[in-house]
Amino acid sequence: MRLGIDWGGTKIEIIALSNEGKELFRQRLDTPRNDYEGCLLAVKQLVEAAERATGQSGTLGLGIPGSLSPKTGLVKNANSTWMNGKPLDKDLERVLGRQVRIQNDANCLAVSEATDGAGAGAHVVHAIIIGTGCGSGIAIDAKAHLGANGIGGEWGAISVPWLKPEEFPGPDSWIGHKGVIDRWCSGTGFQLDYQERTGTLLKGHEIMALKRSGNAVANEVYTAYVSRLARALAMSANLLDPDVFVLGGGMSNIDELYDDLPPAMLPYIFSDRFDTPIRKAFHGDSSGVRGAAWLWE
């Protein structure tokens, strides 16, 4: 049995998978925000619940909204900032009494989809999370590409390329740079763009409902969003040239994106043709936690 945990900013979720990938158990708890020790205990509680329910023990993989530095062994770049600077793997091994494997949550999405999802069988999968934030992970032959400095796939920290004059320099972000992909191509960025234009904060599905009903402002927000995400994807295509893009997170449920993104990317693709598919994550919201379990494959 393989156990996977997705440690997010709002919830911590566990899944238990058989060797064949069958779901045996699933449970989630609210994340104890700003409480590092509380989060460790929540992980312990979930592991104990999974093993009690299944009657088995299992390997444990963990997906986090950051990564472990290969130089210091400490968490870095986590938007759940209370885990930054912590030796998370060592602390979990102390609490759980077993070895754990930790990867960035977007890398877990990539591994999951490359293993038995929308990118199954592909050599290089670039998986994009477009939810509260916007990050990405790269899987090569179904294994996460971490990189020499632990920053492989840190796509969200880059500024949206080919900025238009009216976009420059772009909004501030928690990363400390303006106009980054994480800020502009996330679901949060989609909502904030609408709020800045109208003074009203709506959820993404509410903005899309307005767009589909013919609302001009909502359509402008959507068009701008597609353009920015398409430029970001085109940059990846020019640099990495993956076999498939896989989209996860709440914004990936907007069906129009899969028709609208390819033509919006074409002006920025440095090639005479572009056939790379853009697919929705096969496992949906379960993909990250499944990928964490597959870290032991």
Side-chain angles (χ1 to χ4, degrees):
M1 183 176 72
R2 293 177 173 83
L3 300 175
I5 285 183
D6 182 15
W7 178 338
T10 58
K11 55 88 177 170
I12 300 176
E13 182 177 16
I14 192 168
I15 196 170
L17 297 179
S18 71
N19 286 337
E20 297 74 35
K22 178 183 177 182
E23 181 179 321
L24 305 175
F25 178 83
R26 182 198 297 263
Q27 186 175 325
R28 64 174 55 182
L29 297 172
D30 291 338
T31 301
R33 293 186 62 81
N34 301 306
D35 182 358
Y36 180 69
E37 289 296 329
C39 288
L40 297 179
L41 293 176
V43 170
K44 181 180 181 182
Q45 180 180 340
L46 288 169
V47 170
E48 289 174 345
E51 296 189 335
R52 186 168 54 247
T54 60
Q56 302 180 63
S57 61
T59 56
L60 179 62
L62 199 79
I64 64 171
S67 61
L68 288 180
S69 167
K71 307 300 182 186
T72 67
L74 306 179
V75 176
K76 61 182 176 64
N77 299 338
N79 56 18
S80 296
T81 53
W82 59 93
M83 69 169 66
N84 283 327
K86 304 291 187 181
L88 181 58
D89 54 346
K90 301 296 188 296
D91 287 339
L92 282 173
E93 288 168 11
R94 166 177 55 82
V95 170
L96 298 171
R98 73 184 75 184
Q99 185 182 1
V100 300
R101 292 183 179 175
I102 296 175
Q103 277 281 3
N104 175 265
D105 53 2
N107 286 347
C108 290
L109 169 65
V111 168
S112 172
E113 293 297 321
T115 299
D116 62 354
H123 174 48
V124 179
V125 176
H126 192 185
I128 315 292
I129 296 177
I130 42 177
T132 304
C134 186
S136 81
I138 299 165
I140 301 175
D141 295 330
K143 292 181 172 57
H145 173 65
L146 185 61
N149 298 287
I151 53 174
E154 288 288 2
W155 184 71
I158 304 169
S159 297
V160 171
W162 298 287
L163 279 181
K164 299 179 180 181
E166 64 271 19
E167 294 175 328
F168 186 84
D172 293 328
S173 70
W174 74 274
I175 296 168
H177 303 293
K178 292 182 177 294
V180 298
I181 293 169
D182 180 79
R183 169 61 175 79
W184 251 344
C185 298
S186 61
T188 302
F190 184 61
Q191 295 171 31
L192 290 176
D193 193 2
Y194 184 84
Q195 183 183 31
E196 289 165 3
R197 295 173 192 246
T198 66
T200 302
L201 181 61
L202 296 179
K203 295 181 178 180
H205 68 87
E206 294 173 321
I207 299 169
M208 286 305 300
L210 288 173
K211 185 260 183 194
R212 290 163 184 153
S213 70
N215 181 277
V217 177
N219 187 65
E220 290 173 3
V221 171
Y222 173 77
T223 300
Y225 178 83
V226 168
S227 173
R228 291 162 184 160
L229 182 57
R231 282 177 270 155
L233 290 170
M235 175 182 61
S236 171
N238 290 337
L239 181 66
L240 184 64
D241 199 10
D243 296 284
V244 59
F245 288 105
V246 178
L247 305 185
M251 293 293 286
S252 71
N253 294 316
I254 297 175
D255 291 336
E256 290 93 330
L257 288 177
Y258 301 92
D259 291 327
D260 295 339
L261 283 170
M265 292 171 64
L266 280 177
Y268 306 99
I269 299 292
F270 193 62
S271 178
D272 59 343
R273 58 183 296 167
F274 180 71
D275 301 318
T276 303
I278 303 172
R279 298 172 181 159
K280 184 187 298 187
F282 179 79
H283 295 294
D285 292 341
S286 301
S287 209
V289 72
R290 289 178 65 90
W294 286 121
L295 292 178
W296 283 87
E297 176 63 13

